[in-house]
Amino acid sequence: MVIILKPNADEGQLQHLIQWLKEQNIDPRPCVGEHQTILGLVGDTSQIDISSLLALDIVEDVKRVSEPFKNANRKFHPTDSVINAGGVPIGGGHFQVIAGPCSVESEEQIVTVARQVKAAGATILRGGAFKPRTSPYAFQGLQAEGIRLLLLAKQETGLPIISEIMDAAHIPLFEEVDILQIGARNMQNFELLKQVGALNKPVLLKRGPAATLQELLMSAEYIMAGGNSQVILCERGIRTFETTTRYTLDLSAVPVLKSLSHLPVVIDPSHGTGSASLVPSMALAATAAGADGLIIEVHNNPAKALCDGPQSLTPARFATLMRKVAAVRAAVCEEGAEPPEKPKEGDVCIRCT
Ligand code: PEP
Ligand code: MN
């Protein structure tokens, strides 16, 4: 971090600032120029609040030269993290597909979809029990009953399960849920992040629709600072001026996040586009871009879905997509990396429609 002082900064105030920085275990190294003096700060500046420095009369500007996140930072953890997601590894070359309905609607629905996505190759089952809806009059999810049905589907198929948690008070209900999802709307619910940071359970953290990638990493940092390092990052689209898609899926998030952080990165093409017809191409592009996994909404009857039907794939379309994902993985597999399962004979090639 660098502090740029105003010209003719008051010496007494400057000494006061230097003393305060030393008390924070920071070594301030002055560089005196003809017109301006700057202080180069050496030490852990992640705890320093830039706005309180900017509030000082003698300070003109403050610039960070290193990222304020430590636990999530690849610089301090050069190798990819592999997260054990309910017995399934994700990250570091381990690619997983999470699939299932936006919301759990009934026993028949969740168990049927779970069996179908498993048969197509999904390795983790998704299903919302608590739904963050824009309208208070829209279906809010089956809540505790939804979690019970999800656990039943897990029992029937053996698939680990993921579900969104919106309130820390619900943590006991999620005891047997393998992965907690923190939804886009709660990415900066810092109290919730702290509470899941105190658990020993994987967390899939979705990017807020108006959050920068640095803000996403700072939210991951909240969870990790509490001692829970099992964080999976998820890009699910951001809000832009574009109106033809529900959000704008930022696929550059994959290489950017992977360069800044060691955490696995998963792409959600369902919320990212809002349209089932756009999901396959974005899922394949995300796979080619090096994502560690995908989270895809699949519904047995999208037209009748209680939530997010227009962006949900049918199980048949999902199965076709899974074959293409395998082909893309085989094509982009890095030399020396563990090869993905080869597409089986008769599988549709990615150029086939
Ligand atoms: C969801 O996964 O169904 C969901 C609500 O996601 P997001 O938080 O990304 O909108
Ligand atoms: Mn949804």
Side-chain angles (χ1 to χ4, degrees), residues 220-236:
E221 194 72 17
Y222 259 92
I223 300 170
M224 298 175 89
N228 186 355
S229 54
Q230 304 163 77
V231 179
I232 302 161
L233 304 169
C234 178
E235 159 64 33
R236 46 74 73 206

Side-chain angles (χ1 to χ4, degrees), residues 40-107:
L41 307 191
V42 179
D44 179 6
T45 56
S46 60
Q47 315 281 332
I48 302 279
D49 178 13
I50 290 189
S51 54
S52 59
L53 290 176
L54 284 169
L56 299 176
D57 278 347
I58 57 168
V59 172
E60 187 164 286
D61 205 359
V62 181
K63 300 234 181 288
R64 276 200 187 276
V65 289
S66 62
E67 302 86 4
F69 50 97
K70 292 274 174 278
N71 290 288
N73 201 320
R74 191 177 278 283
K75 276 187 197 144
F76 305 106
H77 190 300
T79 55
D80 287 345
S81 275
V82 181
I83 312 282
N84 177 352
V88 176
I90 183 160
H94 301 277
F95 180 91
Q96 305 298 342
V97 178
I98 304 167
C102 178
S103 20
V104 180
E105 297 173 9
S106 68
E107 177 176 335

Side-chain angles (χ1 to χ4, degrees), residues 102 126 131-132 164 181 183-185 206 236 271 297 308:
C102 178
R126 65 152 287 150
K131 294 307 304 176
E164 176 167 354
Q181 177 173 318
R185 292 153 191 84
K206 289 189 145 195
R236 46 74 73 206
H271 294 86
E297 288 189 340
D308 286 349

Side-chain angles (χ1 to χ4, degrees), residues 10-331:
D10 177 82
E11 187 57 29
Q13 286 185 40
L14 175 58
Q15 288 313 318
H16 196 262
L17 171 61
I18 288 175
Q19 186 54 35
W20 180 80
L21 288 165
K22 286 182 176 163
E23 283 163 14
Q24 314 303 309
N25 290 323
I26 305 286
D27 178 15
R29 304 205 178 155
C31 173
V32 184
E34 201 179 331
H35 302 293
Q36 214 153 22
T37 297
I38 64 170
L39 294 178
L41 307 191
V42 179
D44 179 6
T45 56
S46 60
Q47 315 281 332
I48 302 279
D49 178 13
I50 290 189
S51 54
S52 59
L53 290 176
L54 284 169
L56 299 176
D57 278 347
I58 57 168
V59 172
E60 187 164 286
D61 205 359
V62 181
K63 300 234 181 288
R64 276 200 187 276
V65 289
S66 62
E67 302 86 4
F69 50 97
K70 292 274 174 278
N71 290 288
N73 201 320
R74 191 177 278 283
K75 276 187 197 144
F76 305 106
H77 190 300
T79 55
D80 287 345
S81 275
V82 181
I83 312 282
N84 177 352
V88 176
I90 183 160
H94 301 277
F95 180 91
Q96 305 298 342
V97 178
I98 304 167
C102 178
S103 20
V104 180
E105 297 173 9
S106 68
E107 177 176 335
E108 198 202 338
Q109 175 239 22
I110 191 67
V111 173
T112 308
V113 176
R115 288 203 179 108
Q116 288 169 319
V117 296
K118 183 181 180 186
T123 44
I124 300 171
L125 175 67
R126 65 152 287 150
F130 293 87
K131 294 307 304 176
R133 305 304 298 275
T134 303
S135 166
Y137 310 116
F139 175 58
Q140 302 288 305
L142 295 181
Q143 314 206 348
E145 173 66 0
I147 299 284
R148 190 185 72 79
L149 298 178
L150 209 47
L151 287 167
L152 205 71
K154 173 182 173 172
Q155 211 172 35
E156 290 290 318
T157 58
L159 289 175
I161 53 174
I162 177 170
S163 200
E164 176 167 354
I165 183 162
M166 294 203 291
D167 187 336
H170 296 154
I171 286 174
L173 279 175
F174 283 72
E175 200 167 348
E176 290 170 76
V177 174
D178 299 284
I179 310 166
L180 300 178
Q181 177 173 318
I182 299 284
R185 292 153 191 84
N186 275 313
M187 189 204 87
Q188 286 188 318
N189 181 340
F190 300 119
E191 282 311 312
L192 181 59
L193 299 179
K194 284 186 213 165
Q195 299 278 340
V196 300
L199 304 176
N200 178 19
K201 201 185 265 293
V203 178
L204 180 127
L205 177 65
K206 289 189 145 195
R207 180 183 185 181
T212 63
L213 292 174
Q214 169 134 337
E215 286 164 342
L216 171 63
L217 290 167
M218 291 307 291
S219 290
E221 194 72 17
Y222 259 92
I223 300 170
M224 298 175 89
N228 186 355
S229 54
Q230 304 163 77
V231 179
I232 302 161
L233 304 169
C234 178
E235 159 64 33
R236 46 74 73 206
I238 50 175
R239 185 155 276 178
T240 67
F241 47 81
E242 183 53 67
T243 54
T244 51
T245 46
R246 185 177 180 188
Y247 293 96
T248 296
L249 187 65
D250 177 11
L251 284 184
S252 61
V254 177
V256 173
L257 289 172
K258 288 178 81 71
S259 70
L260 294 173
S261 176
H262 52 89
L263 298 172
V265 179
V266 161
I267 291 289
D268 176 348
S270 308
H271 294 86
T273 61
S275 168
S277 65
L278 304 175
V279 167
S281 50
M282 290 297 97
L284 295 174
T287 306
D292 297 292
L294 301 167
I295 176 164
I296 297 176
E297 288 189 340
V298 179
H299 197 282
N300 50 333
N301 187 355
K304 292 259 166 67
L306 296 180
C307 186
D308 286 349
Q311 68 194 34
S312 300
L313 296 184
T314 58
R317 285 177 94 178
F318 174 71
T320 303
L321 171 60
M322 286 297 282
R323 290 192 285 271
K324 296 181 182 184
V325 166
V328 169
R329 288 206 65 228

